[in-house]
Amino acid sequence: MSRQQWSSQTVFILAAVGSAVGLGNVWRFPYLAGRYGGGAFLIPYLLAFVLLATPMLILELAIGQRMQRGPIQSLRRMHPAFGGVGLVAVTSAFLVVAYYAVVMAWCLLYLVRSLGVPWADDPEGYFFGQVLQISDSIGQLGGFNWPILIALAVIWLSIYFCIWQGPKSVGKVVLYTVPIPVVVLGVLFVRSLFLPGFFDGWRVYLTPVWSAMLDPAVWTAAAAQAFLTLSVAFAIMLTYASYKQPDEDIVKSSWLTAIADLAISLFAGFVVFAVLGYMAWSTGVTVQDVAASGPGLAFVVFPKALSLMPLAGLFSALFFFMLLTLGIDSAFSLIEPTVAAVLDIQPGRKSTHIAGWACLAAFLVGTLYTTKAGLYFLDIVDHFVTTYNAILVALGMALLGGWVFGAEALRRYVNDISDWQIGRWWNGAIKWVAPVVLVILLATQLSTDLRTPYEGYPAWALAIGWGTVILPVGAGIALSFGPKAKFDDESTDSELTD
Ligand code: PHE
């Protein structure tokens, strides 16, 4: 059976950029920058981005492109004991997309309601009360929130029609979903330059708060964000690379993807902080106060700021349309590892059917987040999966690539086929920097979470969070070290270690 392929290298790069650039760039990155001292966040972030996340991106592309299989099989073909790492990656990406799509569903609701700007008077009450109808505590599910559930169904139908033919349909969709949000961001940028107070916002964004850099939490947050924004550590990029020809360039594609992603994050920071500066100006609070609002940024602070501008409805609609188009290509890249992994073990099945089942399953899991307690569950699963699972998978891949398979062997393979070359520094990044930093991140995070219950949630609720780590990892260990007949690949390893 021949594997599907991207129609060209450019289409692959577009798809990779589409996956990387998502809600993480416009919503998560600016709120982290705001929370951790503006300009001081940028330094750890840039370091982690260049020294850690981009080398890992090159590694993932190399593995996927070389092995030409989905995540589990690709890693197993490099070494049988590493199939479990692939399984953790696949299940984690699946868990993430189940709630990522729910955040997109909120965007859709805001988009369809934006012309009237109904949140203008009380954006916080609007978000938590009207849109989420949030219950008092995580223990009160309070039934489904029907508008969100319906919006979620619409989102999943859209995702399905983007991916149903694999790289073929994805390749067509990204021609639109990558440039459109960038253009809209550009429009918002120009608009923001005419807002009074925009420069105060920029100043906060760019002025380093040096003391913040002494806080280890800044470094953990920066490193985690660098991974998430590049879609590294969930085998997403590995899966996308497995649809490339085995001899296509890797280094240039990786750097172009990384540069585009970084540029869009930094650019989005200018837009967001300009608008925050305007909001501070018009409401009389400091930019620091509005910027440190945390995850509520996209749905509380930003809508409020938009409502203060002339033509508020139009710009609100543009903003939420941008979030949706930014998110959709990330969302479908997050479901691809599942589709590829299932296709590997059931090659006879139609990929359109597998894509349909995967979307349906993720929708059903996501319905939990459409209950009145949905936000609490979303918060917990997000916290655990994007820290522990991402760190463990990245660690597994770094050890496999750097030590078991050999960084030098991989580097030679990559350099042989690439337009640009990577130097020996890459070996050090994969063999030493990545594992050491990842272990430190893991230890810091574990000690924090064991000392203080995350966000004060009750133990039973946090047990669900730990479950989203322990169950995939347990299954991964069973796959790696248990009887493995089911996942046997017809091809032998000897053909790969030439
Ligand atoms: N990189 C994308 C983003 O920043 C998608 C993504 C999110 C990938 C979370 C992995 C985890 O939005």
Side-chain angles (χ1 to χ4, degrees), residues 138-415:
I138 188 166
Q140 289 170 279
L141 277 189
F144 286 121
N145 180 325
W146 290 100
I148 298 184
L149 188 62
I150 293 165
L152 184 65
V154 174
I155 296 287
W156 273 112
L157 273 176
S158 325
I159 295 176
Y160 175 69
F161 284 111
C162 294
I163 61 156
W164 72 298
Q165 295 174 314
K168 203 168 132 204
S169 52
V170 167
K172 288 182 194 146
V173 175
V174 290
L175 295 178
Y176 303 94
T177 55
V178 175
I180 287 173
V182 179
V183 171
V184 179
L185 195 62
V187 172
L188 292 173
F189 175 75
V190 173
R191 175 70 190 91
S192 72
L193 293 180
F194 294 94
L195 293 170
F198 85 90
F199 201 74
D200 298 328
W202 283 11
R203 232 195 323 261
V204 171
Y205 177 41
L206 297 177
T207 310
V209 178
W210 296 109
S211 59
M213 278 183 65
L214 298 175
D215 178 0
V218 177
W219 292 85
T220 0
Q225 174 64 12
F227 274 105
L228 291 186
T229 189
L230 274 183
S231 299
V232 160
F234 289 118
I236 299 167
M237 292 296 188
L238 186 160
T239 307
Y240 268 14
S242 74
Y243 304 134
K244 292 175 79 190
Q245 314 274 359
D247 57 356
E248 271 174 352
D249 163 89
I250 288 179
V251 182
K252 194 164 108 190
S253 324
S254 303
W255 281 110
L256 289 180
T257 306
I259 291 167
D261 180 70
L262 181 64
I264 292 173
S265 286
L266 296 176
F267 189 52
F270 279 104
V271 178
V272 169
F273 276 84
V275 173
L276 297 181
Y278 168 63
M279 182 164 167
W281 174 84
S282 56
T283 55
V285 282
T286 65
V287 180
Q288 278 84 356
D289 283 342
V290 264
S293 61
L297 187 68
F299 296 99
V300 177
V301 179
F302 214 77
K304 171 75 194 168
L306 289 166
S307 75
L308 298 170
M309 316 180 168
L311 293 179
L314 174 70
F315 285 106
S316 304
L318 272 181
F319 176 70
F320 288 107
F321 176 69
M322 177 188 72
L323 286 185
L324 274 174
T325 48
L326 271 180
I328 190 145
D329 34 25
S330 302
F332 58 67
S333 74
L334 278 156
I335 193 84
E336 274 295 328
T338 307
V339 179
V342 176
L343 259 181
D344 275 350
I345 46 172
Q346 307 213 303
R349 295 278 290 280
K350 270 204 161 125
S351 57
T352 46
H353 292 178
I354 292 176
W357 285 112
C359 290
L360 182 66
F363 166 73
L364 291 176
V365 172
T367 56
L368 172 66
Y369 311 115
T370 68
T371 61
K372 310 271 160 80
L375 180 66
Y376 304 122
F377 287 104
L378 192 158
D379 184 22
I380 291 176
V381 174
D382 172 65
H383 173 73
F384 282 90
V385 174
T386 57
T387 49
Y388 295 104
N389 299 25
I391 292 173
L392 290 171
V393 172
L395 192 58
M397 284 201 206
L399 294 179
L400 172 64
W403 294 95
V404 180
F405 195 88
E408 184 54 25
L410 272 173
R411 192 175 74 95
R412 248 186 274 126
Y413 159 67
V414 167
N415 278 345

Side-chain angles (χ1 to χ4, degrees), residues 107-152:
C107 294
L108 182 58
L109 288 182
Y110 268 86
L111 173 64
V112 296
R113 296 169 183 177
S114 55
L115 288 182
V117 207
W119 55 80
D121 295 332
D122 177 16
E124 197 160 357
Y126 185 79
F127 179 54
F128 293 106
Q130 302 273 103
V131 177
L132 298 183
Q133 298 170 11
I134 195 164
S135 63
D136 290 336
S137 72
I138 188 166
Q140 289 170 279
L141 277 189
F144 286 121
N145 180 325
W146 290 100
I148 298 184
L149 188 62
I150 293 165
L152 184 65

